[in-house]
Amino acid sequence: MSRLFRWQGLAVFFAVIALIATFVYFFADSLVKNGIEKSGEWYLGAEVNVEDVEITYAPLTLNIKGFQATDPENPTHNLVSFAQASVGLDIWQYFFGKIYISELNVIELKLEQARKSVGEVYILADEQSSNAQQPADDSGLPKLDISLPKVDDLLKNSDLLTVKHGQALEQSYQEEKKKLLAMQKKLPTKARLAQYKKQITALGNTKIKSLADIEKLNQQFNVLKKQFKADKALISAAKEQVVASKRLLAKQTLALKNSPSADWKNIESKYQLDKVEGADFAHMLFGEKAREYYGYADTVYQKIAPLVTAAKADTKNAADKANTAKNKGRFIHFTEQRPLPDVLIVQANFSLVLDQGEFAISGKELTHQHWVRGIKSTISVESTNVQGSGELNLSLDFKLDQNKILHSKGQWQLNKLALAEVALQQSSAFTLQLDSGLLSGNGTFSLLDNQLISDNELMISQASYSGTGDSHLSKLFINTIRSLQSLALNISAKGKLTDPKLSISSPLDKQLKKSMMQQVSKKLTAFKTDVKARLNAKLTNALGVSNKEGESLLDIEGLINDTDSTLDKFIHSDVIKAKKKEFADKQKKKLEDKLKKKLGKLFG
Amino acid sequence: MFTLLAKLLNALNSESSTRQISLAIALGFIVGLSPIFTLHNFVFLFVVLFLRVNIGGFILAWGFFKGLSYLLSSLIVSVGESLLNAESLHSLFDMLYQFSLFKLAHLHHTYTLGALVLGCILAIPLYFVCNYLIEKYRLHVKAFFEKFRIVKALKASKFYRVYCQVSGQGEMS
């Protein structure tokens, strides 16, 4: 037997095993402590400290005391820290390559707490975060922050259309009048027309003795006709000028008549008088705060998101994995009677301590492979001292499907949350603060992949506000808000989780508009009436001037028409025809007399 | 390293059983092909320590075949793949998968199973080939080589001194 077996070899084997077991038993605590610190530092890129680790073996439980993880973006603070944590780990599953934690308890979990000494940072933080937060601009209410102008100053403004169009019309009248007067000077005068008449009458009185006299008369009349036609051409040109002038002046008069209403619209727009009606007051006041509070949720998501995206990246890199499997191999899984995901925390309890209060967070079935057991992860958050007396209940469930798409839905309820000194507006000329109030509300949310749909209702009661404003409108606004004891808000968020579209609506909008309109309408109506009356006076004045000028234009037009008709009469005068007829009749009578004499002698 | 090599040569030249040396090489081959921290490697280590096999030969064979395993990795994985994906063996693996020991040994991993199966199958012919070669060495090669001047020169080297110390010849001379 001894030729075949080496008994001392057996002793060596068990001695080595025992040595390893002893080493693990005595040094496991510090090995795990170092493991947590090093792996935490590798993941975060900043110093991680663990005060002490204690391992108990039946059942295997890890007790971690004094955990601190430095915030790489703010090394004077911890990203997360806790006083104590106990982790009940199934070591058997760990040897199978799975992390199965039956119970995880974390006590006094704190976020962004100041460190005793500055933590070391190994990887510089992304610079992206530096541009993420831009200071809020003075949008919204400050636009309204303009007092009403004086009517006199307003009407002196040369940009007013009524003034502009009035001046343009007056100028056009002058120019057109000048043109017509110039034309008028070229037209035949009354004396000339009388001369023409005299000449035609003289032609009519001419005695015709022979055909040669008629021809001579005709020639004289043709000379006169040429003059008439030349004058007629001048009159036609004058008539065309009159039509053009009338068209231009009619157009400008219409523009002038429409000017007062256009001017009022411009005044309304310039001095934001129309904005009071359409202003989105709820969004102006609470939009920034809603974004700020949403930012907290987004920060939490940003810490979790890499885990989800890493899971997605795993799917995308399936081809690479297959390639690696050719050389390094892969696990092939078979049907298990009790399948387990790679990482599973059956029950987790956290007591989170924040400046806002203490929160009891519990989670069940926490994993990233929900399809293995077909059970969703659930999380609930409860607190009875949010900012003193607020009561919060939040419950949500989530699951990742085999395509690594995140499905989640949840609801929350908040009661009696005391609000104090919440700055709502801090613009250069307008500040508004909620001094005290009680907030309550409830809401639901659902998430599919990274698309969020959330509806929330909030009610602020027993509210008191304070604020200062420079202008009349902003003072009115503050007074209106101060008169409100309670207000309701509906906030909905829709779209990409990292950048959702927030929509805030409230009966406050109607209340504010009504109150504001009531308070401003009196002044606004007086202002409107005054401005409109003054604009109409300007219009009447401008039109009065134009009427006077119009009458003189009509005189010129009448004169042109009279001259035209006189010349027409002259051109179509029948003096030659009459003379021809007279001569013919005379010759006829002469022949008759001559014939009678000859016949009398014959039959006499 | 010199010491280990000298021990092997000493074993080859000594009166140690050829079977002990061949078994050491065959076991070193199985362990060398497999990933280091596997359950079956602990079993083989136990066997090596418990049975009278040449430990120097085992360690050298382990190191040599560990290097060779990188060249054979795709062959090892394909053996594991074909076994674990074989329809006829599916029910067998399905049953084995319910045992924690099977999963603890990572025998559902293509490389581990392939290395174990390939190692165990090839270890048998390797054992016999080594047996044959060691016998031939002892009969012909050793005497033949000792005639050469280069061997005589080597005997004057540091390596030979180590070899002599290991085999106890140095003390005698």
Side-chain angles (χ1 to χ4, degrees):
Chain A
M1 279 294 271
S2 61
R3 197 177 143 77
L4 193 63
F5 299 116
R6 186 161 41 201
W7 298 104
Q8 64 270 40
L10 198 65
V12 168
F13 180 79
F14 285 114
V16 169
I17 298 291
L19 199 69
I20 292 170
T22 313
F23 180 80
V24 169
Y25 184 78
F26 284 107
F27 295 99
D29 295 354
S30 50
L31 282 173
V32 171
K33 178 179 176 292
N34 278 322
I36 293 169
E37 285 178 341
K38 296 297 169 200
S39 54
E41 284 169 359
W42 174 82
Y43 182 74
L44 276 179
E47 187 178 339
V48 172
N49 310 96
V50 176
E51 198 181 301
D52 189 31
V53 171
E54 195 184 308
I55 300 173
T56 53
Y57 292 92
L60 185 74
T61 309
L62 244 69
N63 292 300
I64 303 161
K65 285 180 187 168
F67 177 89
Q68 295 182 70
T70 309
D71 185 349
E73 290 171 18
N74 184 15
T76 55
H77 285 68
N78 287 320
L79 185 69
V80 63
S81 63
F82 54 77
Q84 197 173 344
S86 65
V87 186
L89 186 70
D90 186 332
I91 190 71
W92 203 234
Q93 291 296 336
Y94 182 74
F95 284 132
F96 298 163
K98 291 179 177 177
I99 296 171
Y100 182 90
I101 294 169
S102 52
E103 191 163 354
L104 169 69
N105 292 303
V106 181
I107 300 163
E108 284 185 40
L109 179 69
K110 293 177 181 175
L111 305 173
E112 294 299 329
Q113 289 287 306
R115 286 176 63 88
K116 284 179 184 169
S117 62
V118 179
E120 281 185 57
V121 176
Y122 310 114
I123 299 168
L124 286 173
D126 263 356
E127 288 176 3
Q128 286 176 344
S129 55
S130 59
N131 348 317
Q133 295 288 326
Q134 295 290 340
D137 61 352
D138 287 359
S139 59
L141 280 170
K143 284 182 185 170
L144 278 170
D145 208 9
I146 296 168
S147 55
L148 292 175
K150 284 183 181 173
V151 178
D152 285 337
D153 294 341
L154 193 69
L155 296 176
K156 273 179 196 165
N157 187 350
S158 57
D159 285 339
L160 281 177
L161 290 175
T162 311
V163 176
K164 268 185 178 175
H165 288 161
Q167 286 170 350
L169 183 62
E170 203 177 331
Q171 195 181 344
S172 295
Y173 267 121
Q174 297 302 332
E175 284 171 6
E176 296 308 307
K177 194 178 167 186
K178 223 180 254 180
K179 285 180 194 168
L180 289 172
L181 284 173
M183 294 297 289
Q184 193 188 2
K185 278 180 187 169
K186 291 177 187 171
L187 295 179
T189 57
K190 281 184 180 174
R192 198 161 156 192
L193 288 174
Q195 179 65 31
Y196 286 152
K197 200 176 176 182
K198 213 174 169 183
Q199 283 177 311
I200 287 173
T201 312
L203 286 176
N205 294 334
T206 309
K207 286 192 176 175
I208 304 296
K209 292 174 182 168
S210 63
L211 282 170
D213 289 342
I214 287 176
E215 186 57 30
K216 194 182 170 185
L217 195 68
N218 199 22
Q219 281 174 358
Q220 283 173 345
F221 185 66
N222 281 342
V223 170
L224 270 178
K225 244 181 164 178
K226 268 184 188 173
Q227 280 181 4
F228 296 157
K229 279 181 181 170
D231 288 342
K232 185 92 174 145
L234 286 172
I235 285 168
S236 296
K239 270 187 167 177
E240 279 172 18
Q241 180 60 50
V242 167
V243 170
S245 298
K246 276 170 88 177
R247 198 178 291 144
L248 176 71
L249 295 172
K251 196 179 163 189
Q252 289 189 334
T253 306
L254 185 69
L256 178 63
K257 281 180 179 169
N258 293 332
S259 296
S261 55
D263 277 334
W264 176 246
K265 273 188 185 170
N266 289 340
I267 290 166
E268 269 189 328
S269 170
K270 185 175 177 181
Y271 294 98
Q272 310 279 319
L273 303 176
D274 53 343
K275 291 281 166 68
V276 175
E277 186 61 34
D280 189 356
F281 292 112
H283 202 272
M284 281 177 207
L285 284 179
F286 297 100
E288 209 55 51
K289 274 285 154 207
R291 270 184 212 95
E292 189 185 318
Y293 289 130
Y294 183 80
Y296 297 139
D298 188 45
T299 308
V300 174
Y301 174 76
Q302 293 301 337
K303 301 289 175 200
I304 302 166
L307 302 175
V308 179
T309 47
K312 281 189 180 176
D314 280 356
T315 318
K316 283 177 188 169
N317 294 335
D320 294 345
K321 274 192 164 182
N323 208 21
T324 312
K326 276 184 185 172
N327 291 319
K328 293 190 174 177
R330 66 187 175 109
F331 281 105
I332 293 179
H333 296 282
F334 296 87
T335 315
E336 249 181 315
Q337 284 168 355
R338 284 182 63 236
L340 283 174
D342 291 347
V343 179
L344 177 65
I345 301 171
V346 180
Q347 172 76 48
N349 301 303
F350 300 86
S351 73
L352 177 65
V353 183
L354 297 175
D355 295 340
Q356 289 84 356
E358 285 180 28
F359 300 84
I361 303 169
S362 67
K364 284 180 182 171
E365 197 72 19
L366 303 176
T367 181
H368 65 298
Q369 293 169 327
H370 297 86
W371 63 92
V372 176
R373 277 156 62 102
I375 306 173
K376 289 177 182 175
S377 297
T378 57
I379 289 177
S380 72
V381 181
E382 286 179 18
S383 177
T384 52
N385 62 352
V386 186
Q387 290 185 2
S389 59
E391 293 169 1
L392 173 71
N393 277 298
L394 182 148
S395 61
L396 68 94
D397 59 54
F398 68 92
K399 67 166 187 177
L400 274 166
D401 64 20
Q402 272 179 293
N403 297 319
K404 306 291 173 6
I405 304 288
L406 180 67
H407 304 252
S408 178
K409 61 180 178 181
Q411 55 197 29
W412 63 271
Q413 200 173 5
L414 182 70
N415 289 311
K416 299 182 210 164
L417 176 71
L419 297 174
E421 295 177 359
V422 181
L424 298 174
Q425 274 289 321
Q426 278 185 317
S427 65
S428 54
F430 175 65
T431 61
L432 184 65
Q433 179 175 286
L434 175 65
D435 292 332
S436 64
L438 284 178
L439 179 70
S440 52
N442 59 70
T444 58
F445 56 89
S446 66
L447 197 63
L448 180 60
D449 203 2
N450 64 350
Q451 293 296 314
L452 172 75
I453 299 173
S454 176
D455 287 306
N456 308 283
E457 289 175 8
L458 293 163
M459 170 67 82
I460 300 172
S461 56
Q462 299 173 31
S464 76
Y465 302 87
S466 65
T468 53
D470 291 345
S471 70
H472 184 70
L473 268 181
S474 54
K475 281 174 190 163
L476 279 179
F477 188 84
I478 293 163
N479 288 337
T480 309
I481 293 275
R482 289 177 74 176
S483 69
L484 301 172
Q485 281 282 308
S486 64
L487 69 89
L489 282 171
N490 295 317
I491 301 176
S492 67
K494 208 172 179 184
K496 208 175 170 187
L497 186 62
T498 47
D499 186 24
K501 194 179 173 189
L502 288 180
S503 119
I504 302 169
S505 64
S506 168
L508 165 77
D509 277 345
K510 278 184 187 169
Q511 278 174 277
L512 271 175
K513 280 172 198 170
K514 200 177 162 189
S515 303
M516 289 274 293
M517 286 308 285
Q518 270 176 2
Q519 297 205 48
V520 300
S521 65
K522 217 174 183 181
K523 189 171 178 176
L524 209 60
T525 310
F527 175 75
K528 192 173 175 177
T529 312
D530 201 5
V531 172
K532 282 195 166 175
R534 301 282 284 272
L535 282 172
N536 284 332
K538 275 188 179 289
L539 171 70
T540 313
N541 188 33
L543 288 176
V545 171
S546 67
N547 285 344
K548 215 184 279 175
E549 297 295 340
E551 280 168 18
S552 64
L553 285 179
L554 285 175
D555 290 346
I556 295 169
E557 192 185 4
L559 181 71
I560 291 167
N561 288 336
D562 288 348
T563 310
D564 192 31
S565 60
T566 310
L567 279 172
D568 272 346
K569 269 186 202 169
F570 290 158
I571 287 170
H572 299 107
S573 169
D574 56 353
V575 64
I576 301 298
K577 217 184 256 178
K579 281 291 166 191
K580 276 182 179 172
K581 200 185 173 207
E582 190 188 320
F583 178 71
D585 289 346
K586 216 175 177 178
Q587 290 301 317
K588 207 173 162 182
K589 203 175 175 185
K590 239 182 200 179
L591 280 171
E592 272 178 6
D593 290 346
K594 213 175 183 179
L595 191 63
K596 274 178 186 173
K597 262 183 196 174
K598 283 196 176 173
L599 285 172
K601 277 178 191 176
L602 192 65
F603 297 103
Chain B
M1 187 64 191
F2 275 157
T3 314
L4 271 176
L5 199 60
K7 275 184 176 175
L8 177 68
L9 285 172
N10 183 42
L12 289 172
N13 297 330
S14 71
E15 292 308 311
S16 294
S17 157
T18 52
R19 286 177 197 161
Q20 286 172 357
I21 301 167
S22 303
L23 189 61
I25 293 169
L27 289 170
F29 173 70
I30 297 171
V31 174
L33 286 193
S34 302
I36 293 171
F37 295 108
T38 52
L39 190 63
H40 66 257
N41 271 2
F42 274 95
V43 174
F44 283 114
L45 193 65
F46 172 79
V47 170
V48 167
L49 288 168
F50 187 51
L51 295 181
R52 284 195 177 277
V53 293
N54 189 278
I55 291 174
F58 169 77
I59 295 170
L60 272 177
W62 183 0
F64 175 76
F65 289 116
K66 176 59 38 197
L68 192 71
S69 73
Y70 293 110
L71 298 174
L72 297 174
S73 60
S74 56
L75 174 70
I76 292 167
V77 169
S78 63
V79 169
E81 285 273 353
S82 56
L83 284 170
L84 285 167
N85 287 319
E87 282 291 320
S88 54
L89 295 173
H90 197 272
S91 56
L92 173 71
F93 284 120
D94 231 7
M95 184 196 71
L96 290 172
Y97 196 71
Q98 309 310 319
F99 294 102
S100 300
L101 199 67
F102 179 79
K103 285 179 278 184
L104 194 65
H106 286 186
L107 291 177
H108 56 310
H109 193 271
T110 53
Y111 191 99
T112 312
L113 183 72
L116 179 65
V117 170
L118 200 68
C120 288
I121 291 170
L122 292 180
I124 297 164
L126 183 68
Y127 169 79
F128 290 109
V129 168
C130 287
N131 247 349
Y132 175 77
L133 288 176
I134 293 164
E135 276 172 10
K136 286 288 172 198
Y137 171 80
R138 283 180 177 175
L139 268 176
H140 309 290
V141 181
K142 189 185 162 198
F144 176 76
F145 276 103
E146 276 182 349
K147 292 174 192 169
F148 287 103
R149 280 186 181 176
I150 191 164
V151 175
K152 286 172 185 168
L154 275 172
K155 279 188 171 179
S157 68
K158 186 187 172 188
F159 174 71
Y160 192 72
R161 279 201 301 277
V162 173
Y163 172 76
C164 287
Q165 279 170 7
V166 167
S167 62
Q169 288 175 33
E171 287 166 20
M172 288 194 308
S173 58

